[in-house]
Every structure is written in structure tokens, then in C-alpha cells.
Amino acid sequence: MEVTRNNRGTTKGPTEWFTGDVYIDPVATPSHGSRLNASTVHFAPGARTAWHTHPNGQNIHVTEGVGRVGRRDGAVEVIRPGDRVFFDPGEDHWHGASPSRFMTHLSMVEVDDNGNSATWGEHVSDEEYRAGRRLEGEEVG
């Protein structure tokens, strides 16, 4: 058994990867043969990732708030505490908070042989984020 003390504080998500206010707390980083990279990600209302893919897929587990997930075909869904979303390897997607609620999720990915966990693309437009309507299951703020 090895206990590793977390000596890294919360960091603001880079503007190249996110729209809006996003904060990241590291949970696990690849080490000793493990490829797991895990973070708790906190999104302010309306904040979201840019379009991105993961070489080995991604699991997110919503821990609080209300969020949205979207993919290139235009599908956008509401996510809530307890929901788990798996994105296939190479699937272009985004995720973030709903327009009127904070959302926090645990992100779990495996890095590739070069230590990369994601390939980042362009920012999600307001139109893509809104999907043209308020989604069923979202509360109006």
C-alpha cells in the first residue's frame, strides 16, 4: 500500500479547453504502471468543455448539480447526480453545466502510450450548447 498526499491545489481550467469558469482538482495521475488520470471538475452555470476526444475513451460520473453532454451529431442530454457517461475512444464530445446550475463530475481517463489523455478542438458554440431549446429535465433558473 502507498498513500500519496495530495499537494496540488485546485486549478482554473485553461481557456483553450473550456468556456466559462471551470476548476479542476486532481484525484489520480498516471504512475507506477497505472494509466489512470482522474480529476474532479467543477463547472459554473453555462461553463463547458471545448470539443475533444480521448484515445482510450472517458468515463464521467456526476456528483452534484445539473449538466449537459453533447456529441457531433447534435445530440445533447441532461445529466444529474449519479449519472455515468461513457464516451467511446475517439468520440468527439463536450460536457458542462446547465445554463442555470453548477455541475461537478469525476472524470476518469486512461492515457495513451505517449501520456496523452485528450485531443482538444474548437470551442462549443452557444448554438451547439443550447441545442435550440431548454432540455427536458432542466430547471429554469
Side-chain angles (χ1 to χ4, degrees):
M1 178 172 73
E2 178 183 340
V3 176
T4 303
R5 306 290 177 209
N6 184 351
N7 59 4
R8 292 176 53 193
T10 300
T11 58
K12 186 161 176 48
T15 58
E16 298 83 12
W17 298 355
F18 300 100
T19 297
D21 290 329
V22 177
Y23 295 89
I24 303 168
D25 288 311
V27 174
T29 56
S31 64
H32 305 295
S34 170
R35 292 177 176 243
L36 177 65
N37 186 0
S39 299
T40 301
V41 187
H42 312 269
F43 296 84
R48 57 205 181 258
T49 67
W51 287 104
H52 63 289
T53 63
H54 300 278
N56 295 307
Q58 178 185 33
N59 276 290
I60 63 172
H61 177 80
V62 181
T63 58
E64 59 184 311
V66 179
R68 291 180 169 192
V69 293
R71 57 183 189 205
R72 280 289 180 189
D73 68 2
V76 178
E77 294 194 38
V78 173
I79 53 176
R80 297 183 167 282
D83 289 350
R84 183 188 70 85
V85 181
F86 177 71
F87 300 101
D88 286 323
E91 181 178 8
D92 210 7
H93 69 280
W94 61 268
H95 34 97
S98 74
S100 61
R101 299 283 302 274
F102 285 87
M103 189 271 292
T104 299
H105 68 53
L106 177 64
S107 168
M108 297 164 281
V109 297
E110 289 187 1
V111 299
D112 64 15
D113 291 338
N114 297 315
N116 298 315
S117 64
T119 300
W120 292 92
E122 74 275 10
H123 285 272
V124 172
S125 71
D126 289 342
E127 293 76 25
E128 290 168 320
Y129 172 74
R130 289 191 187 108
R133 58 185 163 71
R134 182 174 66 86
L135 295 172
E136 184 176 330
E138 280 186 325
E139 298 171 12
V140 177

